[in-house]
Amino acid sequence: MAVLLLGLPTLVYYFWFCLAHNDGQPMVPQLVMLDDFPLPTASSVMIVAGWLVFQGILQILAPGRTVEGTVLRDGTHLTYKLNGWFAWWFTLAVLAVGMALGLVSPTIAADQLGPLLTTANMFAYPIAAFFWLYGKRFQSDDERVTGNAIGDFWFGTALNPRVAGFDVKFFCESRVGLIAWVVIDLSLAAKQYELHGMVTVPMVLVCAFQFWYVADCFLHEEAILTTWDIKHENFGWMLCWGNLVWLPFTYTIQAQYLVHHIHDLPFWGTVGVILLNAAGYAVFRGANLQKHRFRKCPERPIWGAKPEFIATAKGPLLLASGWWGLARHVNYLGDLLMALAWCLPCLFASPIPYFYVAYLIILLVHRERRDHDSCKLRYGKDWDLYCLKVPYRIVPGLY
Ligand code: NDP
């Protein structure tokens, strides 16, 4: 873990360097790369600080309905204000007005990408350190705290750290990184226009797919409350840095690559990636919604039939029909199909844009194993029964 704490940020810088200074091609890491290390600028510090404050204010003040989260181990619930949909559109509207008035440059995020990366790191580490100590002192989740300083820093010491009622994990998971991802994409598209006088079809596809993905997350914001991260993952460096740095700077790799690579797609290629993305979305959203709705109302028909399920001694029901009868994490398959559709518009001159799909395969295969172990622990024999009924992990008939 100590290696990853330093290695993952180094990897993000490596990609940034290859994309900004090596024509998007991989290269053997060299010390000379340090000559171009992006130092923070006054603008980048103001942007990151302003972004965190602005999104924080929106989370507190924007209108939205208040809902109960899932049951915690002590039997209580936390409440969450679901105002992400408002925050998302309001942020885009404010930026659009700022651009129309000439107050915000459309290419600012693209121009400042390197300094923004360093600044985001400068914020993420102290925030993670603060909540590591805060969790230990005030809200320790004893079951998950190991006493190993590095492990606890990585995984966090509290499940839902809240300061004066402000939920920091929900904020990081569902606001700062997700919206920044799309804003950076759009800025990169504007940069492509500035440099080449056009926005190419591949850039439009990548921006549109990712815009849709994030908008959809906010449209179904309540479903975030039943994800693994919110229910089971403590708030540590992994989630903090992951959302503040990893997500906005690696999920935009395709758009970063396309800024300097002007190519078109054949008509059949354009149609193909749109269909692939649509298929991935149908599986991803269909499966996640099905589980969410089933948990809220187990009688609701699934694909026109009464849902099949495994009742557990612990209480929660395990859905075993619909998408969840095809594979135990078929929702991950949907994400992987979409990830591939986001990479393909970059064509095949460099492997770097494909990092995203490769990373997601590793992440989701590993995540499925972790979730499997944790469900096995929670549900024991009932989980075994479910595994017997639904033998595939992610890809029906294959894996
Ligand atoms: P899930 O939403 O699948 O949540 C897993 C939990 O759901 C389990 O711990 C269990 O919790 C419950 N569960 C498992 N099986 C069943 C069942 N058959 N019926 C009812 N409940 C069940 O996983 P994630 O939170 O990991 O993923 C959510 C979405 O986010 C996925 O689509 C994933 O692809 C996506 N994702 C995307 C990432 C990205 O970077 N693009 C990263 C991570 C996730 P319990 O029983 O305790 O309720």
Side-chain angles (χ1 to χ4, degrees), residues 126-143:
I127 294 174
F130 175 81
F131 283 101
W132 169 59
L133 293 170
Y134 185 85
K136 265 167 65 144
R137 175 77 182 81
F138 297 112
Q139 294 174 336
S140 182
D141 179 357
D142 294 336
E143 275 197 26

Side-chain angles (χ1 to χ4, degrees), residues 32-44:
V32 71
M33 286 170 152
L34 290 177
D35 294 347
D36 288 305
F37 185 83
L39 294 173
T41 59
S43 305
S44 70

Side-chain angles (χ1 to χ4, degrees), residues 7 119 275:
T119 311
L275 290 178

Side-chain angles (χ1 to χ4, degrees), residues 181 213 226-229 231-232 247 251 284 288 291 294-295 316-320 324 328-329 331-333 335 342 356 359-360 363-364 367 371 374-375 378-379 383 386:
W181 172 13
Y213 184 83
T226 51
T227 58
W228 160 276
D229 283 353
K231 288 185 71 173
H232 304 298
L247 193 160
Y251 287 25
F284 160 84
N288 285 327
K291 179 183 73 160
F294 170 74
R295 280 285 172 89
L317 308 177
L318 295 170
L319 179 58
W324 298 83
R328 301 197 295 272
H329 263 107
N331 52 346
Y332 289 179
L333 175 64
D335 240 304
W342 302 350
Y356 178 68
Y359 145 78
L360 206 63
L363 175 91
L364 294 180
R367 198 175 169 97
D371 193 44
S374 123
C375 286
R378 273 200 304 284
Y379 300 124
W383 184 253
Y386 175 55

